[in-house]
Amino acid sequence: DFTSDKLRSLIEAHVDVKTTDGRTTQVKKTTYAQSSQVHEIRKSKMFEIMTREALSCDLKELVQKFIP
């Protein structure tokens, strides 16, 4: 008997970024996805979104975006 938890995989991403206030930091994000989506998410989307969001704000704003 399969549950939805068994069909999902953990995805972790770590990206080094420079914020608009000149600080360099490592952004870490963890999420779950269906097994069929894992490759595509790891390949580009997750890193692209994290980098884009970090480049558009200072460190204080970045923390607020990723830790609501």
Side-chain angles (χ1 to χ4, degrees):
D1 184 31
F2 285 103
T3 64
S4 61
D5 289 341
K6 291 182 182 177
L7 300 175
R8 295 169 28 149
S9 297
L10 178 67
I11 302 173
E12 295 178 331
H14 306 267
V15 179
D16 292 320
V17 293
K18 192 170 195 173
T19 59
T20 57
D21 60 353
R23 297 176 187 236
T24 301
T25 188
Q26 186 178 71
V27 179
K28 299 176 184 179
K29 193 69 178 169
T30 304
T31 191
Y32 287 92
Q34 291 180 344
S35 298
S36 61
Q37 299 171 322
V38 170
H39 178 71
E40 189 61 34
I41 292 170
R42 282 187 181 144
K43 185 176 165 186
S44 64
K45 294 292 183 190
M46 196 167 182
F47 295 104
E48 179 184 316
I49 293 168
M50 290 168 59
T51 301
R52 181 184 66 229
E53 292 299 318
L55 292 174
S56 67
C57 62
D58 62 23
L59 185 59
K60 183 178 180 180
E61 293 169 331
L62 181 64
V63 170
Q64 291 174 346
K65 282 184 179 185
F66 287 109
I67 304 173

